[in-house]
Structures are given as C-alpha cells and as structure tokens.
Amino acid sequence: MNLFMDNLARFLTRPQYRKAAWFLSVAVLAGLFTATSVLAQGVTTASIFGRVVDNAGNPLPGANVVATHVPSGTIYGTTSRADGEYTLPNLRVGGPYTVTVSFVGYVKQEYQGIYLQVSQSLRQDFRMVEEAVRVPEVQVTGERSAILSAGRTGAATSLTSEAFRLPTITARISDFARLTPEARGGSSYVGQDNRFNNVTVDGAYFNQSFGLAGSLGDRTGVAPISLSALEQVQINVAPYDVRQGNFVGANVNMITKSGTNEFSGSAFYQWRHQGLVGTEAKDSKVDPGTFKFKRRGVNVGGPIITNKLFFFGDYQADDDTRPGTTYKANTGGQPVGGNITRVLASDLDQLSSFLKSKFGYDTGPYQGYDFKTPARRFIVKLDYNVDERNKLTLRYNRLDSETDVLVSNSSSLGFGTRRTVTTGLNFANSNYGILENIRSIVGEWNSILGPNMANNLIVGYSHHDESRSYRGSWFPFVDILSGGSVYTSFGFEPFTPNNELRYWTYQLQNNFSIYGPKHHLTFGISAERYQSENVFFPGSQSIYVYNSLADFYTDANDYLANPNRTTSPITLRRFQVRWMNIPGM
C-alpha cells in the first residue's frame, strides 16, 4: 500500500502532469464570474486568506504560509504574492487548524485554534517582526468574518455536528432545517416547492431527479444518509456564488465526515416502547395497533497511513413497524363509528375462503396486519493527502429501503375510495410497496497549482431504483360495492403491475480559480447526464367492479361453470390497459 501511494504521489506531482492538469482545467472551463477576494472558498471546502507584511506595514512577497489540520495532520501550503496577499483554498472543514508563517530574517509566527465552516473564507493577517529585534512577546491576532461582511454573500445557515444532537424523530435533515429562518415545513424554503431545492453531498448532486418527491428518502420516509456521518450542513437561499445554483428554493449542501490520525468510533441502539403509544382518547378506549421501532448503528474512522491516508465508515439499520390499518370488520350488531366499519367479518371470511378454494388466490388478512419500513444505509470515505498541494477524496454511499402503502384510491381504474374507512375494508394483498434504493460514488480532487491558482474537480455517478413491489400473487383486481360505495376490494393493486422506475445520473464539475490583487476569477463547468427507465402498465391484470357481493358470486360461479365466456355486461365493468410508458417506444 505504501509503495502504491508513493508512486501515485510522484506521478501526480510531476511538473508535466501539473502543466497538463492546468491546461485541462482551462480547456473545460466555460463560465466566468468576478468577485472580491473573500470568495475563495469552495462548495465543499473553506479557505483562509490574508496579507503578510513587515513591522512597517510593507508587503512581504514569498513568505511561506502553511495551514495544518491538527486532527489529521493534513498540510496546506502556499507563498505570499507580490502584494503580500496569500490564499489557502480548498481546506477541509472543521478543525482545529494551526497556521504558521515564516520568512528568512523574520520570527516565525503561528496562529492556533482555527475552526472552519463549509464555504467560509477566514481572513488571517500577519505582521512579521525581524529576527534581530528582541521583543518580549509576539502576539498574532485574527479577524474572524463578521455576520455582515463581504464574505457572507447571501442568506445562509450552517449546521455543525453539534446541532445534530438535538432531539429528532425522523433523523432526517428536514428536522434540523427548521433552524433556518427561511424554512417552512422542514424542506421547503422561501415559500417554494421542495422539489425546487438542490441537494448536494460533498458538492455532488444528490437529488430526486425524476420528481416524484422533493428529496431522496421521501418515497419511503427514511434518511438517505445517517446524521452520524455528517460533519456540517449548509443551507443557502440566496448565494452570490455562481457555483451554487440549479435551485429556486435553497441549496442544501451536506459535508460528510472524514477520518483523522486517531482511531475513533461509536455504536448505538435505539428503540421505542409500545407503552409510549396512547390507548385513550378522552373517555374512549382506543386500540392503536402495534408500533415497533429500532435503530442500530456503528461508525469508525482513523488512519491507514498516518498524515497521508484516512478512512471513515458509517452503517445504520432501521426497522419501523406500524399498523397497516386500525379499522375492523363488524362482528354483527356493532354500531358503525370510530374504527368499526359496516363491513361484516362473516362476509369477508366467506369471500376469502371462496377465492382460495375456487381460484387458489390468497387475499391476505383484512384487519390486524402491519406495515413495515426497513432501511439499511452505509457510507465509506477515503481521504488521501498526495502532498501539500493535492488532496483526493473518494466516497461511496448506499441506501436500501422499502415501505408498505395502502391500495390506491384513484377512480381512474375501478370505483375508487377503496382504502379502509368506515364504509369499506380492503384485503392486505391488495396493497403494495415502494422501493428506494440508492448507489452513489463520488470522487473529488482539490489542488493548488501555484501561489495564485487552484482547481477543484468532482466526478460522480449514482443509480436509483424507485420501483413498486407487490403483495400477494397476480390476480384481477375487484371492487365490490354496497349502496353505491366500495364495500371491499381484493386482487392485484390496479397501478402496480410492472410499475418500475430506475434512473442514473453522471456528473462532472470543475472550477479553476485565479487569485489577483483585488479580484478572484473563477472559471468553471458543471455537467450532468440523466437517464431514466420508467414502465407503467396499469390495469394489465384487468379491473372489475360489482354492484354487490351477490352479483360477484353469481358471475364467479357462472365463470367456473363456463370458463370460456368473457364478462357479464350487466353486473360489472371491465377496464383494459389505460396507459403504458416505456422508454424508447
């Protein structure tokens, strides 16, 4: 491993390679913006800038400036320019940092205890004292960016890992986004639909690109990335930085943790007791059903090669069980109301037995069944310090989740309004499930190409599967009415046959910065390729509506006696295929 890393380091730092990298950066950069010198930070990193002068206030060009991330030993170095200005871009967020300045003939100066937030630009000036001059004490003072300053362009809220210790039910970022004044309802900002946000992880796009939900994790209601894997989160609603775009509501940028020179880790187990669920509503007794929840997780990080190569890994698993329905069939003579329906248990028992014996179809239960939402997520991250000027990062994260959903209430197929209410009770195998599985890998290369040049390159790929799963076996879907409304429903859910959704995204971002005496110029390109596969074949199992149970039994027995006949035009309506969407057709 050491030999491989040393060879890679020598390759990346060859003069001809740096020159090629510089020309490659300039060739692919398309956009341009100018800003004052405080805009040296990146969307995943931070920066320190300032001026080095002598005791008389004259600039000291060529002074050696080094920032050391103390926990990991990561070193960032540069030299001051002709006007004494220096810039240390693409710095890892967090801290503490120690910044030192040295120059021949002058006393070395050091500033400690610096902590950086994502996209922050911290000004740190140095006044050097000649080594021949004897002074009792050299004190270095730092100017931290004020809340209202040129370095804070646009409304933004930064959340550190300390904020994630606040109580949360969902363990999702939306619970903490409420700390942002512009947030409404957790994931909606400045009054915009949450699908207009742009979510990034370590600067790479991490969106629900197909548009069926506002953000990843919404389809199944789980967190796509564990809170314990996040270092910082920044929410921008009006940034002036052109690198933060593609949104109307807010840009939500999550920065994941990295390993350090010390091995560290944690493990936990959480659960909720059934006793926390209420069973009384004023003077009425309530049967809330069964609620079970448990979450366990573990994370670990540390060095592979001290000061050089680090790893971080985080794994969490959730199991959430809740009642699929709290409505119950009427045992006969019970008043309809609360969770007692008009549907007779004897009718449903007889119907289920008939379908099993005559057609071999298992309806599943009609009451007392649970819905489950299992979720498994993990993240692995490698950080490699090639040298003082080049840093490489590779991250892979994965989510496997699924949730149960009640049968659709849409009347476009069947009669509609068929979900469990006091007038109707459907069978469990008419429900369906939704998947949300994510695979994402992102690489980032931060490099300082000279005293006044830096480059940031991000390449990423992600795959998403949000298809439907089904309950029970293939069977025609049937609504049975009573008194003009749905009494019960059974069969394969109307909109689930071959309901598949998968999509892939490829992304490339590159930003090349030049630091001048008064302005910084950034040239950049951001490209994303999106490909989706969507199959929608509703009603392919055929849909039937009967006016009563008696009509169904008459028609079903007639079919059994005459299996070659088609349908009865009086007692039912039949719906054929309504819509099919297959890419490429």
Side-chain angles (χ1 to χ4, degrees):
M1 177 65 75
N2 290 334
L3 179 61
F4 170 76
M5 293 301 174
D6 291 341
N7 289 336
L8 180 60
R10 285 193 292 269
F11 175 74
L12 290 174
T13 53
R14 290 175 183 171
Q16 63 268 33
Y17 183 84
R18 287 187 181 177
K19 185 176 181 181
W22 189 89
F23 281 111
L24 175 63
S25 301
V26 174
V28 299
L29 303 177
L32 167 66
F33 70 86
T34 60
T36 57
S37 60
V38 294
L39 288 179
Q41 77 282 1
V43 295
T44 65
T45 58
S47 67
I48 298 176
F49 72 102
R51 194 165 187 245
V52 182
V53 298
D54 61 18
N55 200 38
N58 300 314
L60 285 178
N64 190 38
V65 185
V66 176
T68 303
H69 182 257
V70 178
S72 66
T74 303
I75 297 174
Y76 304 84
T78 189
T79 57
S80 58
R81 300 185 287 275
D83 56 358
E85 296 282 344
Y86 75 91
T87 304
L88 288 168
N90 300 336
L91 271 62
R92 179 172 166 174
V93 298
Y97 275 90
T98 297
V99 181
T100 60
V101 177
S102 58
F103 193 76
V104 176
Y106 290 82
V107 178
K108 182 179 180 180
Q109 293 192 12
E110 182 177 281
Y111 190 78
Q112 300 178 349
I114 297 176
Y115 288 85
L116 300 175
Q117 296 181 357
V118 60
S119 296
Q120 180 185 12
S121 289
L122 179 67
R123 184 175 186 89
Q124 183 63 61
D125 294 327
F126 290 89
R127 183 178 289 271
M128 307 293 287
V129 178
E130 292 186 36
E131 203 164 18
V133 177
R134 298 293 180 181
V135 293
E137 181 181 5
V138 175
Q139 184 176 4
V140 179
T141 59
E143 177 185 347
R144 190 174 296 275
S145 299
I147 295 178
L148 297 176
S149 70
R152 295 183 179 270
T153 52
T157 300
S158 293
L159 306 175
T160 62
S161 55
E162 286 77 12
F164 303 143
R165 299 174 184 172
L166 294 172
T168 174
I169 299 296
T170 67
R172 303 184 65 192
I173 289 299
S174 56
D175 281 358
F176 303 91
R178 294 182 175 90
L179 298 173
T180 303
E182 299 84 5
R184 180 178 63 84
S187 59
S188 174
Y189 304 91
V190 294
Q192 299 297 323
D193 188 290
N194 60 357
R195 285 173 292 186
F196 294 153
N197 298 331
N198 182 39
V199 180
T200 59
V201 177
D202 297 327
Y205 299 130
F206 198 67
N207 294 308
Q208 214 286 347
S209 302
F210 197 79
L212 293 180
S215 60
L216 294 177
D218 284 356
R219 302 296 310 280
T220 53
V222 303
I225 295 180
S226 306
L227 292 176
S228 56
L230 296 180
E231 180 73 29
Q232 293 186 16
V233 174
Q234 187 179 67
I235 302 172
N236 283 290
V237 295
Y240 298 160
D241 190 339
V242 73
R243 290 169 291 186
Q244 302 187 44
N246 300 324
F247 70 91
V248 175
N251 185 80
V252 181
N253 187 22
M254 296 180 278
I255 306 299
T256 58
K257 291 181 178 179
S258 297
T260 65
N261 276 330
E262 294 185 1
F263 287 100
S264 61
S266 64
F268 70 91
Y269 181 84
Q270 300 174 345
W271 75 95
R272 298 176 198 153
H273 193 270
Q274 178 70 18
L276 298 174
V277 182
T279 58
E280 295 182 3
K282 202 173 182 180
D283 298 330
S284 301
K285 292 288 185 179
V286 177
D287 182 4
T290 302
F291 287 81
K292 296 179 182 179
F293 176 82
K294 58 183 179 180
R295 174 179 293 140
R296 56 272 190 203
V298 60
N299 63 71
V300 62
I304 299 176
I305 303 175
T306 302
N307 295 338
K308 201 77 171 176
L309 181 62
F310 311 92
F311 77 95
F312 175 81
D314 182 278
Y315 172 82
Q316 280 191 18
D318 300 349
D319 290 293
D320 191 351
T321 301
R322 304 186 181 196
T325 177
T326 57
Y327 287 94
K328 294 186 176 182
N330 201 308
T331 57
Q334 292 179 289
V336 177
N339 65 340
I340 303 299
T341 69
R342 65 169 179 166
V343 185
L344 295 177
S346 57
D347 285 345
L348 298 184
D349 291 336
Q350 180 184 1
L351 178 59
S352 181
S353 177
F354 177 83
L355 292 170
K356 182 68 173 177
S357 62
K358 301 298 184 180
F359 296 98
Y361 175 70
D362 183 5
T363 62
Y366 51 82
Q367 64 185 22
Y369 57 87
D370 295 328
F371 276 177
K372 296 183 178 181
T373 305
R376 307 288 183 269
R377 65 186 75 86
F378 72 85
I379 182 172
V380 178
K381 188 176 182 181
L382 294 175
D383 292 90
Y384 177 44
N385 298 330
V386 180
D387 54 27
E388 293 183 9
R389 295 175 178 266
N390 294 277
K391 318 295 178 187
L392 297 175
T393 299
L394 182 66
R395 169 182 55 80
Y396 175 78
N397 63 279
R398 172 171 176 165
L399 170 68
D400 293 312
S401 64
E402 181 179 7
T403 189
D404 289 313
V405 184
L406 281 169
V407 59
S408 172
N409 252 348
S410 174
S411 59
S412 61
L413 289 177
F415 195 83
T417 317
R418 61 180 65 90
R419 286 183 178 174
T420 51
V421 291
T422 56
T423 56
L425 201 59
N426 71 282
F427 286 91
N429 284 348
S430 296
N431 300 322
Y432 64 98
I434 290 180
L435 305 176
E436 187 157 18
N437 299 330
I438 303 171
R439 313 286 186 266
S440 176
I441 184 168
V442 174
E444 181 177 9
W445 174 21
N446 285 301
S447 59
I448 299 176
L449 304 176
N452 67 332
M453 292 183 295
N455 193 75
N456 169 261
L457 174 67
I458 296 177
V459 179
Y461 164 80
S462 62
H463 172 261
H464 306 254
D465 187 352
E466 298 176 13
S467 303
R468 285 195 183 188
S469 59
Y470 55 87
R471 308 293 175 252
S473 57
W474 183 269
F475 196 78
F477 184 80
V478 179
D479 280 328
I480 296 178
L481 313 182
S482 177
S485 61
V486 175
Y487 187 73
T488 188
S489 302
F490 62 86
F492 201 97
E493 206 276 338
F495 302 93
T496 299
N498 299 107
N499 193 330
E500 301 175 24
L501 172 59
R502 286 172 287 270
Y503 53 94
W504 301 260
T505 57
Y506 307 83
Q507 55 183 296
L508 169 68
Q509 301 178 53
N510 198 86
N511 292 288
F512 174 71
S513 299
I514 302 176
Y515 312 115
K518 294 184 178 181
H519 296 86
H520 291 168
L521 305 180
T522 296
F523 305 83
I525 184 172
S526 177
E528 183 179 16
R529 185 178 185 271
Y530 170 80
Q531 178 183 354
S532 66
E533 176 184 83
N534 180 217
V535 181
F536 192 32
F537 208 168
S540 58
Q541 78 281 51
S542 73
I543 313 296
Y544 298 86
V545 177
Y546 287 89
N547 290 322
S548 66
L549 269 172
D551 285 347
F552 168 74
Y553 284 125
T554 298
D555 202 55
N557 285 311
D558 184 32
Y559 171 81
L560 292 172
N562 303 280
N564 293 324
R565 76 164 185 84
T566 55
T567 62
S568 169
I570 299 176
T571 58
L572 59 90
R573 297 195 301 268
R574 179 170 179 169
F575 296 81
Q576 299 288 348
V577 177
R578 285 297 184 88
W579 180 50
M580 180 171 63
N581 178 19
I582 301 177
M585 296 186 64

